[in-house]
Short mmCIF file of all heavy atoms in Angstrom, two decimals:
data_model
loop_
_atom_site.label_atom_id
_atom_site.label_comp_id
_atom_site.label_asym_id
_atom_site.label_seq_id
_atom_site.Cartn_x
_atom_site.Cartn_y
_atom_site.Cartn_z
N MET A 1 125.79 84.72 63.07
CA MET A 1 124.26 84.48 62.81
C MET A 1 123.53 84.77 64.12
O MET A 1 122.43 85.46 64.07
CB MET A 1 124.04 83.10 62.28
CG MET A 1 122.69 82.87 61.90
SD MET A 1 122.33 83.70 60.40
CE MET A 1 121.03 82.80 59.89
N LEU A 2 124.05 84.32 65.27
CA LEU A 2 123.31 84.55 66.49
C LEU A 2 123.25 86.04 66.89
O LEU A 2 122.20 86.60 67.31
CB LEU A 2 123.91 83.74 67.58
CG LEU A 2 123.32 83.80 68.92
CD1 LEU A 2 121.74 83.33 68.90
CD2 LEU A 2 123.95 82.97 69.92
N ALA A 3 124.34 86.76 66.60
CA ALA A 3 124.37 88.11 67.01
C ALA A 3 123.36 88.96 66.04
O ALA A 3 122.71 89.85 66.47
CB ALA A 3 125.72 88.70 66.82
N PHE A 4 123.34 88.48 64.79
CA PHE A 4 122.30 89.19 63.86
C PHE A 4 120.94 88.88 64.32
O PHE A 4 120.04 89.91 64.42
CB PHE A 4 122.44 88.61 62.39
CG PHE A 4 121.50 89.21 61.45
CD1 PHE A 4 121.59 90.42 61.00
CD2 PHE A 4 120.42 88.40 61.04
CE1 PHE A 4 120.68 90.99 60.18
CE2 PHE A 4 119.56 88.93 60.22
CZ PHE A 4 119.52 90.22 59.78
N ALA A 5 120.51 87.69 64.84
CA ALA A 5 119.16 87.36 65.19
C ALA A 5 118.93 88.07 66.62
O ALA A 5 117.78 88.55 66.81
CB ALA A 5 119.02 85.93 65.43
N ALA A 6 119.75 88.16 67.47
CA ALA A 6 119.66 88.96 68.82
C ALA A 6 119.54 90.42 68.69
O ALA A 6 119.00 91.17 69.49
CB ALA A 6 120.65 88.59 69.68
N GLY A 7 120.06 91.03 67.50
CA GLY A 7 120.21 92.45 67.41
C GLY A 7 118.78 93.18 67.47
O GLY A 7 118.60 94.00 68.21
N PRO A 8 117.73 92.79 66.68
CA PRO A 8 116.47 93.51 66.75
C PRO A 8 115.81 93.33 68.17
O PRO A 8 115.14 94.27 68.75
CB PRO A 8 115.67 92.71 65.75
CG PRO A 8 116.55 92.17 64.75
CD PRO A 8 117.86 91.86 65.59
N LEU A 9 116.05 92.16 68.83
CA LEU A 9 115.44 91.98 70.19
C LEU A 9 116.16 92.91 71.19
O LEU A 9 115.48 93.42 72.03
CB LEU A 9 115.72 90.48 70.58
CG LEU A 9 114.87 89.42 69.82
CD1 LEU A 9 115.20 88.04 70.27
CD2 LEU A 9 113.37 89.74 69.93
N ALA A 10 117.37 93.13 71.10
CA ALA A 10 118.16 93.94 72.01
C ALA A 10 117.66 95.42 71.88
O ALA A 10 117.80 96.18 72.85
CB ALA A 10 119.67 93.76 71.73
N GLN A 11 117.24 95.78 70.64
CA GLN A 11 116.86 97.10 70.40
C GLN A 11 115.42 97.44 70.68
O GLN A 11 114.91 98.58 70.71
CB GLN A 11 117.17 97.53 68.90
CG GLN A 11 118.63 97.44 68.58
CD GLN A 11 118.89 97.69 67.21
OE1 GLN A 11 118.01 97.84 66.26
NE2 GLN A 11 120.18 97.70 66.71
N ALA A 12 114.58 96.43 70.90
CA ALA A 12 113.18 96.53 71.17
C ALA A 12 113.05 97.34 72.47
O ALA A 12 113.76 97.17 73.35
CB ALA A 12 112.55 95.16 71.19
N GLN A 13 112.09 98.26 72.49
CA GLN A 13 111.69 98.97 73.59
C GLN A 13 110.37 98.65 74.14
O GLN A 13 109.33 98.44 73.41
CB GLN A 13 111.74 100.55 73.29
CG GLN A 13 111.65 101.37 74.56
CD GLN A 13 111.83 102.90 74.17
OE1 GLN A 13 111.95 103.25 73.04
NE2 GLN A 13 111.82 103.68 75.10
N THR A 14 110.30 98.59 75.44
CA THR A 14 109.02 98.30 76.20
C THR A 14 108.27 99.57 76.35
O THR A 14 108.83 100.56 76.73
CB THR A 14 109.25 97.67 77.60
OG1 THR A 14 110.11 96.50 77.31
CG2 THR A 14 108.01 97.21 78.17
N GLN A 15 107.03 99.50 75.95
CA GLN A 15 106.15 100.67 76.10
C GLN A 15 106.10 101.09 77.44
O GLN A 15 105.79 100.31 78.40
CB GLN A 15 104.72 100.35 75.50
CG GLN A 15 103.83 101.57 75.46
CD GLN A 15 102.52 101.19 74.87
OE1 GLN A 15 102.35 100.03 74.38
NE2 GLN A 15 101.57 102.18 74.83
N GLY A 16 106.24 102.44 77.68
CA GLY A 16 106.07 102.92 79.07
C GLY A 16 107.39 102.93 79.83
O GLY A 16 107.45 103.45 80.86
N VAL A 17 108.41 102.38 79.28
CA VAL A 17 109.78 102.28 79.87
C VAL A 17 110.84 103.08 79.08
O VAL A 17 111.01 102.76 78.02
CB VAL A 17 110.19 100.83 80.19
CG1 VAL A 17 111.51 100.67 80.84
CG2 VAL A 17 109.17 100.08 81.02
N SER A 18 111.53 103.92 79.81
CA SER A 18 112.61 104.59 79.17
C SER A 18 113.77 104.53 80.10
O SER A 18 113.81 103.89 81.15
CB SER A 18 112.25 106.15 78.88
OG SER A 18 112.12 106.93 80.11
N LYS A 19 114.97 105.21 79.71
CA LYS A 19 116.02 105.14 80.52
C LYS A 19 115.90 105.71 81.95
O LYS A 19 116.49 105.31 82.83
CB LYS A 19 117.33 105.85 79.84
CG LYS A 19 117.78 105.12 78.66
CD LYS A 19 119.06 105.97 78.15
CE LYS A 19 119.72 105.18 77.01
NZ LYS A 19 120.80 105.89 76.48
N GLY A 20 115.07 106.66 82.01
CA GLY A 20 114.93 107.39 83.42
C GLY A 20 113.47 107.16 83.97
O GLY A 20 113.31 107.65 85.14
N GLU A 21 112.56 106.45 83.34
CA GLU A 21 111.26 106.49 83.98
C GLU A 21 110.38 105.22 83.48
O GLU A 21 110.65 104.69 82.36
CB GLU A 21 110.50 107.81 83.31
CG GLU A 21 109.13 107.88 83.68
CD GLU A 21 108.42 109.22 83.23
OE1 GLU A 21 108.22 109.32 81.91
OE2 GLU A 21 108.20 110.12 83.96
N ILE A 22 109.51 104.81 84.39
CA ILE A 22 108.59 103.84 84.05
C ILE A 22 107.20 104.32 84.32
O ILE A 22 106.90 104.94 85.40
CB ILE A 22 108.74 102.62 85.07
CG1 ILE A 22 110.20 102.01 84.82
CG2 ILE A 22 107.67 101.49 84.92
CD1 ILE A 22 110.53 100.88 85.88
N VAL A 23 106.46 104.31 83.28
CA VAL A 23 105.00 104.87 83.34
C VAL A 23 104.06 103.77 83.54
O VAL A 23 104.06 102.80 82.73
CB VAL A 23 104.71 105.66 82.06
CG1 VAL A 23 103.25 106.37 82.22
CG2 VAL A 23 105.70 106.80 81.83
N ILE A 24 103.20 103.91 84.58
CA ILE A 24 102.08 102.86 84.68
C ILE A 24 100.82 103.65 84.77
O ILE A 24 100.73 104.79 85.16
CB ILE A 24 102.30 102.00 86.01
CG1 ILE A 24 102.48 102.95 87.24
CG2 ILE A 24 103.55 101.17 85.90
CD1 ILE A 24 102.43 102.20 88.55
N GLY A 25 99.73 102.95 84.42
CA GLY A 25 98.45 103.67 84.45
C GLY A 25 97.45 102.85 85.20
O GLY A 25 97.50 101.63 85.35
N THR A 26 96.37 103.57 85.68
CA THR A 26 95.31 102.87 86.25
C THR A 26 93.96 103.60 85.97
O THR A 26 93.95 104.84 85.72
CB THR A 26 95.49 102.84 87.87
OG1 THR A 26 94.39 102.17 88.52
CG2 THR A 26 95.59 104.23 88.42
N GLU A 27 92.99 102.85 85.98
CA GLU A 27 91.56 103.42 85.79
C GLU A 27 90.76 102.94 86.95
O GLU A 27 90.64 101.90 87.24
CB GLU A 27 90.96 102.90 84.53
CG GLU A 27 89.79 103.64 84.11
CD GLU A 27 89.42 103.51 82.87
OE1 GLU A 27 90.07 102.95 81.91
OE2 GLU A 27 88.16 103.71 82.34
N GLN A 28 90.37 104.17 87.69
CA GLN A 28 89.62 103.82 88.92
C GLN A 28 88.44 104.60 88.94
O GLN A 28 88.22 105.57 88.17
CB GLN A 28 90.42 104.35 90.19
CG GLN A 28 91.75 103.63 90.36
CD GLN A 28 91.60 102.03 90.79
OE1 GLN A 28 90.61 101.75 91.34
NE2 GLN A 28 92.67 101.30 90.33
N ASP A 29 87.48 104.21 89.80
CA ASP A 29 86.16 104.99 89.98
C ASP A 29 86.30 106.00 91.04
O ASP A 29 86.32 105.80 92.17
CB ASP A 29 84.97 104.11 90.39
CG ASP A 29 84.66 102.95 89.35
OD1 ASP A 29 84.47 103.36 88.20
OD2 ASP A 29 84.63 101.81 89.75
N LEU A 30 86.87 107.22 90.47
CA LEU A 30 87.07 108.30 91.37
C LEU A 30 85.95 109.27 91.57
O LEU A 30 86.09 110.22 92.36
CB LEU A 30 88.30 109.16 90.76
CG LEU A 30 89.54 108.25 90.47
CD1 LEU A 30 90.57 109.06 89.83
CD2 LEU A 30 90.04 107.61 91.74
N SER A 31 84.82 109.02 90.94
CA SER A 31 83.55 109.67 91.01
C SER A 31 82.50 108.77 90.78
O SER A 31 82.69 107.65 90.44
CB SER A 31 83.49 110.90 90.19
OG SER A 31 83.46 110.46 88.82
N GLY A 32 81.32 109.07 91.29
CA GLY A 32 80.16 108.22 91.05
C GLY A 32 79.92 107.41 92.39
O GLY A 32 80.48 107.61 93.33
N PRO A 33 79.04 106.34 92.29
CA PRO A 33 78.67 105.65 93.52
C PRO A 33 79.52 104.87 94.18
O PRO A 33 79.40 104.73 95.51
CB PRO A 33 77.39 104.74 92.99
CG PRO A 33 77.61 104.54 91.52
CD PRO A 33 78.32 105.81 91.07
N ILE A 34 80.71 104.48 93.66
CA ILE A 34 81.55 103.65 94.33
C ILE A 34 82.92 104.35 94.57
O ILE A 34 84.05 103.73 94.59
CB ILE A 34 81.77 102.18 93.81
CG1 ILE A 34 82.36 102.21 92.41
CG2 ILE A 34 80.51 101.49 93.97
CD1 ILE A 34 82.73 100.93 91.93
N LYS A 35 82.84 105.69 94.46
CA LYS A 35 84.16 106.35 94.61
C LYS A 35 84.87 106.16 95.96
O LYS A 35 86.01 106.24 96.21
CB LYS A 35 84.07 107.85 94.38
CG LYS A 35 83.18 108.57 95.56
CD LYS A 35 83.09 110.04 95.14
CE LYS A 35 82.22 110.75 96.24
NZ LYS A 35 82.13 112.18 96.02
N VAL A 36 83.94 105.73 96.99
CA VAL A 36 84.54 105.44 98.34
C VAL A 36 85.57 104.26 98.34
O VAL A 36 86.41 104.19 99.21
CB VAL A 36 83.36 105.22 99.30
CG1 VAL A 36 82.45 106.36 99.63
CG2 VAL A 36 82.58 104.06 98.87
N TRP A 37 85.51 103.45 97.17
CA TRP A 37 86.43 102.46 97.05
C TRP A 37 87.60 102.88 96.20
O TRP A 37 88.76 102.58 96.45
CB TRP A 37 85.77 101.29 96.42
CG TRP A 37 86.82 100.06 96.31
CD1 TRP A 37 87.11 99.19 97.32
CD2 TRP A 37 87.45 99.60 95.08
NE1 TRP A 37 87.95 98.31 96.77
CE2 TRP A 37 88.32 98.48 95.36
CE3 TRP A 37 87.56 100.15 93.82
CZ2 TRP A 37 89.08 97.88 94.53
CZ3 TRP A 37 88.34 99.50 92.95
CH2 TRP A 37 89.11 98.35 93.25
N GLY A 38 87.35 103.63 95.05
CA GLY A 38 88.28 103.87 94.02
C GLY A 38 89.27 104.93 94.57
O GLY A 38 90.56 104.98 94.22
N VAL A 39 88.92 105.93 95.35
CA VAL A 39 89.76 106.97 95.83
C VAL A 39 90.77 106.56 96.76
O VAL A 39 92.00 106.85 96.52
CB VAL A 39 88.99 108.24 96.40
CG1 VAL A 39 89.86 109.21 97.08
CG2 VAL A 39 88.04 108.86 95.34
N PRO A 40 90.48 105.70 97.76
CA PRO A 40 91.49 105.20 98.67
C PRO A 40 92.43 104.23 97.92
O PRO A 40 93.71 104.26 98.19
CB PRO A 40 90.66 104.35 99.69
CG PRO A 40 89.39 104.91 99.77
CD PRO A 40 89.13 105.34 98.29
N VAL A 41 91.92 103.45 96.91
CA VAL A 41 92.95 102.75 96.12
C VAL A 41 93.91 103.46 95.36
O VAL A 41 95.09 103.19 95.54
CB VAL A 41 92.19 101.79 95.07
CG1 VAL A 41 92.96 101.10 94.13
CG2 VAL A 41 91.26 100.79 95.81
N LEU A 42 93.46 104.55 94.84
CA LEU A 42 94.34 105.38 94.10
C LEU A 42 95.32 106.13 94.97
O LEU A 42 96.54 106.19 94.78
CB LEU A 42 93.64 106.58 93.24
CG LEU A 42 94.52 107.58 92.61
CD1 LEU A 42 95.44 106.75 91.56
CD2 LEU A 42 93.66 108.62 91.77
N ASN A 43 94.87 106.55 96.23
CA ASN A 43 95.80 107.09 97.25
C ASN A 43 96.79 106.11 97.69
O ASN A 43 97.95 106.49 97.84
CB ASN A 43 94.90 107.58 98.41
CG ASN A 43 94.13 108.84 98.04
OD1 ASN A 43 94.43 109.51 97.18
ND2 ASN A 43 93.16 109.11 98.97
N GLY A 44 96.44 104.85 97.79
CA GLY A 44 97.52 103.84 98.13
C GLY A 44 98.41 103.56 97.06
O GLY A 44 99.78 103.42 97.35
N MET A 45 97.98 103.71 95.74
CA MET A 45 98.87 103.57 94.67
C MET A 45 99.93 104.65 94.65
O MET A 45 101.17 104.60 94.43
CB MET A 45 98.17 103.60 93.35
CG MET A 45 97.40 102.15 93.21
SD MET A 45 96.31 102.19 91.84
CE MET A 45 97.45 101.60 90.56
N LYS A 46 99.49 105.91 94.88
CA LYS A 46 100.25 107.23 94.86
C LYS A 46 101.31 106.97 96.08
O LYS A 46 102.46 107.47 95.78
CB LYS A 46 99.37 108.38 95.00
CG LYS A 46 98.61 108.77 93.81
CD LYS A 46 97.73 110.10 94.17
CE LYS A 46 96.97 110.50 93.01
NZ LYS A 46 96.10 111.59 93.36
N LEU A 47 100.89 106.55 97.18
CA LEU A 47 101.84 106.34 98.26
C LEU A 47 102.96 105.43 97.98
O LEU A 47 103.97 105.64 98.23
CB LEU A 47 101.02 105.95 99.54
CG LEU A 47 101.91 105.78 100.73
CD1 LEU A 47 102.45 107.02 101.27
CD2 LEU A 47 101.00 105.16 101.92
N ALA A 48 102.50 104.29 97.39
CA ALA A 48 103.48 103.28 96.98
C ALA A 48 104.53 103.91 95.82
O ALA A 48 105.71 103.58 96.01
CB ALA A 48 102.78 101.98 96.37
N VAL A 49 104.02 104.66 94.96
CA VAL A 49 104.84 105.22 93.94
C VAL A 49 105.84 106.26 94.66
O VAL A 49 107.11 106.19 94.37
CB VAL A 49 104.09 105.84 92.80
CG1 VAL A 49 104.96 106.79 91.93
CG2 VAL A 49 103.33 104.88 91.93
N GLU A 50 105.32 106.98 95.51
CA GLU A 50 106.24 107.97 96.21
C GLU A 50 107.34 107.22 97.07
O GLU A 50 108.41 107.60 97.05
CB GLU A 50 105.42 108.86 97.31
CG GLU A 50 104.49 109.90 96.55
CD GLU A 50 103.63 110.55 97.61
OE1 GLU A 50 103.85 110.45 98.83
OE2 GLU A 50 102.70 111.28 97.00
N GLU A 51 107.03 106.06 97.68
CA GLU A 51 107.87 105.40 98.44
C GLU A 51 108.98 104.67 97.61
O GLU A 51 110.18 104.79 97.79
CB GLU A 51 107.19 104.26 99.41
CG GLU A 51 106.53 104.83 100.46
CD GLU A 51 105.63 103.77 101.24
OE1 GLU A 51 105.65 102.63 100.78
OE2 GLU A 51 105.07 104.06 102.20
N ILE A 52 108.55 104.24 96.47
CA ILE A 52 109.43 103.57 95.55
C ILE A 52 110.47 104.71 94.90
O ILE A 52 111.69 104.47 94.96
CB ILE A 52 108.60 102.89 94.32
CG1 ILE A 52 107.97 101.68 94.77
CG2 ILE A 52 109.65 102.51 93.25
CD1 ILE A 52 106.91 101.11 93.87
N ASN A 53 109.95 105.80 94.63
CA ASN A 53 110.73 106.86 94.02
C ASN A 53 111.66 107.45 95.16
O ASN A 53 112.84 107.78 94.82
CB ASN A 53 109.76 108.05 93.38
CG ASN A 53 109.33 107.57 92.14
OD1 ASN A 53 109.81 106.67 91.43
ND2 ASN A 53 108.16 108.18 91.71
N ALA A 54 111.26 107.53 96.40
CA ALA A 54 112.02 108.01 97.41
C ALA A 54 113.32 107.05 97.69
O ALA A 54 114.43 107.46 98.12
CB ALA A 54 111.40 108.17 98.67
N LYS A 55 113.17 105.75 97.32
CA LYS A 55 114.19 104.89 97.55
C LYS A 55 115.04 104.73 96.05
O LYS A 55 115.89 103.74 96.01
CB LYS A 55 113.67 103.44 97.79
CG LYS A 55 113.10 103.48 99.30
CD LYS A 55 112.49 102.15 99.57
CE LYS A 55 111.78 102.12 100.92
NZ LYS A 55 111.08 100.83 101.25
N GLY A 56 114.78 105.56 95.25
CA GLY A 56 115.70 105.51 93.93
C GLY A 56 114.95 104.88 92.86
O GLY A 56 115.65 104.76 91.74
N GLY A 57 113.63 104.57 93.02
CA GLY A 57 112.89 103.98 91.87
C GLY A 57 113.12 102.63 91.62
O GLY A 57 113.54 101.84 92.56
N ILE A 58 112.90 102.12 90.42
CA ILE A 58 113.13 100.75 90.10
C ILE A 58 114.30 100.62 89.09
O ILE A 58 114.16 101.11 88.02
CB ILE A 58 111.80 100.10 89.36
CG1 ILE A 58 110.71 100.20 90.49
CG2 ILE A 58 112.03 98.68 88.87
CD1 ILE A 58 109.33 99.72 89.78
N LEU A 59 115.33 100.02 89.51
CA LEU A 59 116.49 99.88 88.72
C LEU A 59 116.98 101.22 88.34
O LEU A 59 117.43 101.41 87.17
CB LEU A 59 116.41 99.01 87.54
CG LEU A 59 116.06 97.55 87.99
CD1 LEU A 59 115.75 96.67 86.66
CD2 LEU A 59 117.16 96.77 88.72
N GLY A 60 116.86 102.25 89.15
CA GLY A 60 117.26 103.56 88.87
C GLY A 60 116.25 104.47 88.13
O GLY A 60 116.54 105.56 87.75
N ARG A 61 115.05 103.94 87.79
CA ARG A 61 114.03 104.54 87.02
C ARG A 61 112.97 105.05 87.93
O ARG A 61 112.53 104.27 88.69
CB ARG A 61 113.46 103.66 86.00
CG ARG A 61 114.40 103.35 84.85
CD ARG A 61 113.76 102.36 83.88
NE ARG A 61 114.58 102.02 82.79
CZ ARG A 61 115.10 100.82 82.50
NH1 ARG A 61 114.97 99.86 83.34
NH2 ARG A 61 115.85 100.70 81.45
N LYS A 62 112.59 106.27 87.80
CA LYS A 62 111.51 106.82 88.59
C LYS A 62 110.18 106.29 88.11
O LYS A 62 110.12 105.96 86.73
CB LYS A 62 111.50 108.37 88.59
CG LYS A 62 112.62 109.04 89.25
CD LYS A 62 112.73 108.79 90.71
CE LYS A 62 113.80 109.51 91.33
NZ LYS A 62 113.81 109.20 92.81
N VAL A 63 109.15 106.18 88.92
CA VAL A 63 107.96 105.61 88.45
C VAL A 63 106.97 106.80 88.35
O VAL A 63 106.90 107.66 89.21
CB VAL A 63 107.35 104.59 89.49
CG1 VAL A 63 105.99 104.19 89.13
CG2 VAL A 63 108.21 103.46 89.60
N ARG A 64 106.22 106.89 87.29
CA ARG A 64 105.13 107.84 87.10
C ARG A 64 103.86 107.14 87.00
O ARG A 64 103.62 106.34 86.07
CB ARG A 64 105.47 108.76 85.81
CG ARG A 64 104.38 109.81 85.69
CD ARG A 64 104.94 110.82 84.58
NE ARG A 64 105.23 110.40 83.45
CZ ARG A 64 104.50 110.53 82.30
NH1 ARG A 64 103.35 111.08 82.31
NH2 ARG A 64 104.95 110.06 81.15
N LEU A 65 102.84 107.59 87.72
CA LEU A 65 101.53 107.11 87.76
C LEU A 65 100.59 107.94 87.01
O LEU A 65 100.47 109.09 87.38
CB LEU A 65 101.05 106.84 89.14
CG LEU A 65 99.67 106.18 89.32
CD1 LEU A 65 99.40 104.89 88.80
CD2 LEU A 65 99.23 106.23 90.85
N ILE A 66 99.82 107.34 86.07
CA ILE A 66 98.69 108.20 85.42
C ILE A 66 97.49 107.51 85.69
O ILE A 66 97.17 106.31 85.63
CB ILE A 66 98.89 108.08 83.90
CG1 ILE A 66 100.31 108.64 83.44
CG2 ILE A 66 97.87 108.79 83.10
CD1 ILE A 66 100.65 108.58 81.98
N ALA A 67 96.52 108.34 86.23
CA ALA A 67 95.29 107.80 86.65
C ALA A 67 94.09 108.48 86.01
O ALA A 67 94.08 109.67 85.72
CB ALA A 67 95.04 108.10 88.20
N GLU A 68 93.07 107.65 85.62
CA GLU A 68 91.96 108.18 85.00
C GLU A 68 90.67 107.79 85.73
O GLU A 68 90.75 106.75 86.37
CB GLU A 68 91.87 107.52 83.54
CG GLU A 68 92.95 108.02 82.57
CD GLU A 68 92.90 109.39 82.20
OE1 GLU A 68 91.69 109.98 82.13
OE2 GLU A 68 93.84 110.01 81.81
N ASP A 69 89.82 108.52 85.58
CA ASP A 69 88.42 108.32 86.40
C ASP A 69 87.37 107.78 85.43
O ASP A 69 87.02 108.27 84.38
CB ASP A 69 87.91 109.66 86.98
CG ASP A 69 86.56 109.50 87.71
OD1 ASP A 69 86.12 108.35 88.02
OD2 ASP A 69 85.87 110.41 87.87
N SER A 70 86.95 106.38 85.70
CA SER A 70 85.95 105.89 84.89
C SER A 70 84.56 106.26 85.27
O SER A 70 83.57 106.02 84.68
CB SER A 70 86.12 104.37 84.85
OG SER A 70 85.89 103.71 86.14
N ALA A 71 84.42 106.89 86.44
CA ALA A 71 83.15 107.38 87.00
C ALA A 71 82.05 106.29 87.09
O ALA A 71 80.84 106.61 87.06
CB ALA A 71 82.69 108.59 86.31
N TYR A 72 82.43 105.08 87.31
CA TYR A 72 81.48 103.96 87.39
C TYR A 72 80.68 103.81 86.21
O TYR A 72 79.44 103.58 86.11
CB TYR A 72 80.67 103.98 88.68
CG TYR A 72 79.93 102.83 89.10
CD1 TYR A 72 80.65 101.64 89.49
CD2 TYR A 72 78.49 102.67 88.97
CE1 TYR A 72 80.03 100.57 89.81
CE2 TYR A 72 77.93 101.56 89.29
CZ TYR A 72 78.62 100.41 89.73
OH TYR A 72 78.00 99.32 90.09
N ASP A 73 81.17 104.16 85.05
CA ASP A 73 80.57 104.24 83.70
C ASP A 73 81.38 103.24 82.79
O ASP A 73 82.33 103.58 82.33
CB ASP A 73 80.57 105.60 83.07
CG ASP A 73 79.85 105.65 81.78
OD1 ASP A 73 79.40 104.68 81.26
OD2 ASP A 73 79.62 106.79 81.25
N PRO A 74 80.73 102.12 82.44
CA PRO A 74 81.40 101.14 81.52
C PRO A 74 81.73 101.65 80.24
O PRO A 74 82.85 101.22 79.75
CB PRO A 74 80.30 100.02 81.31
CG PRO A 74 79.31 100.24 82.45
CD PRO A 74 79.37 101.61 82.88
N LYS A 75 81.11 102.68 79.71
CA LYS A 75 81.58 103.32 78.43
C LYS A 75 82.93 104.09 78.67
O LYS A 75 83.66 104.12 77.62
CB LYS A 75 80.46 104.31 77.90
CG LYS A 75 79.20 103.51 77.60
CD LYS A 75 78.07 104.56 77.17
CE LYS A 75 76.76 103.95 77.09
NZ LYS A 75 75.71 104.85 76.80
N LYS A 76 83.15 104.57 79.76
CA LYS A 76 84.37 105.31 79.93
C LYS A 76 85.51 104.32 80.28
O LYS A 76 86.61 104.52 79.88
CB LYS A 76 84.28 106.27 81.17
CG LYS A 76 83.55 107.48 80.84
CD LYS A 76 83.53 108.39 82.10
CE LYS A 76 82.72 109.64 81.78
NZ LYS A 76 82.81 110.53 82.96
N ALA A 77 85.14 103.28 80.90
CA ALA A 77 86.17 102.24 81.38
C ALA A 77 86.52 101.44 80.04
O ALA A 77 87.66 101.13 80.01
CB ALA A 77 85.50 101.24 82.34
#
């Protein structure tokens, strides 16, 4: 009975995680009046991802960063 109950949980997949990759996303102000804050933040995130991947990723999975520009516009964010 316990094996039957655990079966569906063991098969559940976390969104953005596969055998070889972990996908993370960010939305930053890359244009507009406060891009002077958003661009360096994204650059730091990219650097961290590069360092993590250079060391073999997370539990053997490479990290992929997806970035979107909200342009300091609440409608886009």
Side-chain angles (χ1 to χ4, degrees):
M1 184 73 159
L2 183 58
F4 176 74
L9 294 177
Q11 296 173 1
Q13 185 175 5
T14 303
Q15 185 175 359
V17 179
S18 67
K19 286 185 177 183
E21 182 177 66
I22 298 172
V23 181
I24 59 174
T26 184
E27 190 165 343
Q28 300 292 332
D29 296 311
L30 304 176
S31 60
I34 63 168
K35 70 179 182 182
V36 295
W37 183 79
V39 172
V41 168
L42 180 59
N43 288 340
M45 294 174 84
K46 288 178 179 178
L47 180 61
V49 167
E50 288 175 13
E51 290 176 354
I52 290 167
N53 287 337
K55 293 178 182 177
I58 299 173
L59 299 175
R61 294 176 173 110
K62 296 293 182 178
V63 177
R64 181 166 55 106
L65 176 65
I66 299 173
E68 295 289 332
D69 180 13
S70 64
Y72 197 66
D73 181 353
K75 293 175 187 170
K76 288 184 180 182

